[in-house]
Amino acid sequence: MSEHTPQSETPKIYKGLAGVPVDVTAISKVNSDTNSLLYRGYPVQELAASVTFEEVAYLLWYGELPNDEELAAFEDLERSHRGLDHEIKRIVDELPLTAHPMDVVRTAVSVIGASDPKTPDDSHEANLEKSIRLFAKLPSIVTYDQRRRHELEFVEPNNDLGYSANFLWQAFGETPELEVVNAFDTSMILYAEHSFNASTFTARVIASTLSDLYSAVTGAIGALKGPLHGGANEAVMHAFDEIGPGEGGAQRAVEWLDAALAEKRKIMGFGHRVYKHGDSRVPTMRDALERMVEHYDRPDLLELYTALEDAMDERKGIKPNLDYPAGPTYHLMGWDTETFTPLFVASRVTGWTAHVMEQLASNALIRPLSVYEGPDERHVPPKGNAAGE
Ligand SMILES: CC(=O)SCCNC(=O)CCNC(=O)[C@H](O)C(C)(C)COP(=O)(O)OP(=O)(O)OC[C@H]1O[C@@H](n2cnc3c(N)ncnc32)[C@H](O)[C@@H]1OP(=O)(O)O
Ligand SMILES: O=C([O-])CC(=O)C(=O)O
């Protein structure tokens, strides 16, 4: 008998699980009708305008925004875990410089999981501790890797700085300007959580087998790497590079787009599985991009950005997603293009781990059905000679 429900001879296939609700969640609400995104009930734009990424991480994990005392204790905890063990650095150093930074981050998380005696402890308290530690350590991992590619020494974390300021400090070895910190913090807040996207769903599938949190995060990193998901922020910048910076970018962007569409290429940073009239996070991230364009005096980049967005809307009616403004914003800040998706990891680890804990609190093994379409039952033909004859 085939795996599909016996009542139906021709079951409907929900390719890519498009439009299929598979569970409930209290962590975030993506509403394509109102074009809104709520984290634990709070509009993400309000959060970006008024709280820090640390407060958002706390909100995702604990369900409420912290009061002053809770925030101070949480910040102390995050700062106490920022350092990177010698062992992790040694293993990262073993990886070739040709390895994609997403592969490096995935490996580093896997090593942390393999070394943590609490890995098998799937209690909520232990998983919360692991989540906070990963959140605190990812900036060290991402910046360690980016710097080693430039033959630069690791920059020790500066515990006088908040999460985002310290992240930039560890990347570039200079105290970052407040405007840049704010734009970066906005990106971290916007990237933190987005219901059952592919990487979060991957994390939930892994958690549902009663594997461990590190395995779930490692798998989620693998899912995020793809250009149809988080890898699009890197791919956007490759498209910008193909178009080329400087004067005349608007015209070149339109020509580039027409050629790419004629070749039936997907335009990275555009389109979304859930939002069909634009991504709720784009206006906030675009504001941050505009501030960075002004800060770094790169109006040509915004010209190219706007021309490509307008032409894509005209030609296909497809709007940008968050990766479209995030990519060039990270570029202006000085991040290597290949490091953009690891920045997404550093943020989304908060959402992934909140989902792992939610999954475990009310677990059911995730195991859908398939409809078999291979050959009918058949049998191995008898061999001419028995073995050994
Ligand atoms: C943070 C994030 O992860 S956001 C997503 C980041 N990913 C990207 O930016 C990659 C580019 N975008 C895409 O590939 C898609 O829009 C996805 C994967 C995000 C969503 O895809 P789906 O919901 O599966 O829609 P699907 O890919 O079937 O697209 C529907 C139609 O729009 C077209 N389309 C959608 N996005 C794009 C795009 N970026 N460029 C060109 N055409 C597109 C498809 O070709 C398809 O056309 P068709 O019906 O003529 O075949
Ligand atoms: O929700 C999705 O499918 C992809 C996305 O925007 C995200 O993960 O932030």
Side-chain angles (χ1 to χ4, degrees):
M1 189 191 289
S2 155
E3 273 188 340
H4 68 73
T5 47
Q7 296 94 320
S8 158
E9 277 314 308
T10 51
K12 181 164 168 43
I13 302 289
Y14 295 91
K15 195 98 172 145
L17 291 179
V20 181
V22 296
D23 207 341
V24 296
T25 182
I27 303 170
S28 69
K29 179 174 178 181
V30 180
N31 190 332
S32 58
D33 296 332
T34 53
N35 201 23
S36 63
L37 169 61
L38 309 178
Y39 291 173
R40 303 274 189 195
Y42 293 103
V44 73
Q45 295 78 1
E46 256 176 54
L47 292 168
S50 48
V51 303
T52 61
F53 180 47
E54 290 93 313
E55 287 167 283
V56 167
Y58 187 101
L59 172 69
L60 293 173
W61 286 321
Y62 294 90
E64 296 296 335
L65 283 167
N67 62 29
D68 291 349
E69 214 176 294
E70 288 163 338
L71 180 60
F74 183 70
E75 285 176 346
D76 281 351
L77 188 60
E78 185 269 313
R79 289 172 199 210
S80 72
H81 286 301
R82 284 177 180 173
L84 209 53
D85 289 351
H86 171 73
E87 190 56 10
I88 308 280
K89 291 183 190 156
R90 191 187 64 73
I91 290 172
V92 167
D93 286 340
E94 295 279 313
L95 299 172
L97 291 172
T98 50
H100 192 282
M102 282 295 275
D103 298 339
V104 173
V105 172
R106 194 191 61 233
T107 303
V109 169
S110 188
V111 171
I112 292 174
S115 325
D116 183 351
K118 285 217 170 154
T119 293
D121 182 349
D122 252 352
S123 66
H124 184 77
E125 296 66 37
N127 278 340
L128 198 50
E129 254 180 54
K130 292 175 220 169
S131 307
I132 295 170
R133 263 187 276 127
L134 278 180
F135 162 65
K137 287 200 188 308
L138 274 159
S140 284
I141 296 167
V142 172
T143 57
Y144 183 70
D145 185 43
Q146 173 161 293
R147 290 180 69 85
R148 87 184 173 112
R149 290 165 195 276
H150 295 271
E151 297 181 359
L152 294 167
E153 291 289 311
F154 178 59
V155 175
E156 292 294 340
N158 179 344
N159 286 349
D160 293 332
L161 299 177
Y163 175 95
S164 288
N166 174 65
F167 206 149
L168 293 160
W169 156 259
Q170 285 195 266
F172 305 113
E174 290 170 5
T175 307
E177 290 170 278
L178 185 61
E179 260 192 311
V180 181
V181 175
N182 288 341
F184 187 72
D185 207 57
T186 293
S187 76
M188 291 287 110
I189 291 172
L190 297 177
Y191 265 142
E193 161 58 14
H194 213 242
S195 76
F196 281 28
N197 59 83
S199 56
T200 300
F201 190 60
T202 302
R204 289 189 76 125
V205 170
I206 294 172
S208 86
T209 70
L210 303 185
S211 178
D212 65 274
L213 180 135
Y214 294 113
S215 298
V217 172
T218 304
I221 295 172
L224 191 74
K225 182 184 175 193
L228 297 191
H229 191 13
N233 64 4
E234 171 184 338
V236 165
M237 209 57 229
H238 292 313
F240 276 38
D241 288 342
E242 279 180 37
I243 296 165
E247 251 176 62
Q251 180 61 29
R252 284 198 304 281
V254 176
E255 287 162 10
W256 177 90
L257 179 68
D258 285 337
L261 291 176
E263 288 168 23
K264 305 250 176 284
R265 279 169 71 178
K266 278 269 177 95
I267 312 304
M268 295 299 154
F270 287 87
H272 199 276
R273 173 57 70 78
V274 182
Y275 301 114
K276 294 300 175 198
H277 310 290
D279 181 326
S280 63
R281 302 159 292 185
V282 164
T284 311
M285 197 61 224
R286 187 193 161 115
D287 284 351
L289 169 63
E290 282 181 20
R291 292 199 301 276
M292 291 302 93
V293 160
E294 203 163 306
H295 182 81
Y296 292 104
D297 192 21
R298 285 290 307 278
D300 62 303
L301 198 77
L302 192 61
E303 206 187 299
L304 188 162
Y305 176 101
T306 309
L308 190 59
E309 177 181 0
D310 291 348
M312 187 67 178
D313 197 17
E314 239 178 58
R315 310 287 193 273
K316 302 282 283 184
I318 298 177
K319 312 271 187 224
N321 58 56
L322 175 57
D323 287 325
Y324 188 59
T329 304
Y330 290 150
H331 171 77
L332 287 172
M333 289 174 180
W335 293 99
D336 290 348
T337 302
E338 289 71 23
T339 303
F340 295 178
T341 317
L343 298 177
F344 193 161
V345 170
S347 164
R348 185 58 61 86
V349 74
T350 57
W352 289 333
T353 51
H355 277 273
V356 167
M357 289 183 272
E358 188 179 70
Q359 177 69 33
L360 291 176
S362 172
N363 193 41
L365 175 74
I366 299 174
R367 199 300 188 190
L369 296 180
S370 61
V371 175
Y372 180 68
E373 61 170 19
D376 286 341
E377 181 170 339
R378 51 187 170 158
H379 299 280
V380 180
K383 292 232 167 76
N385 287 320
E389 271 179 27

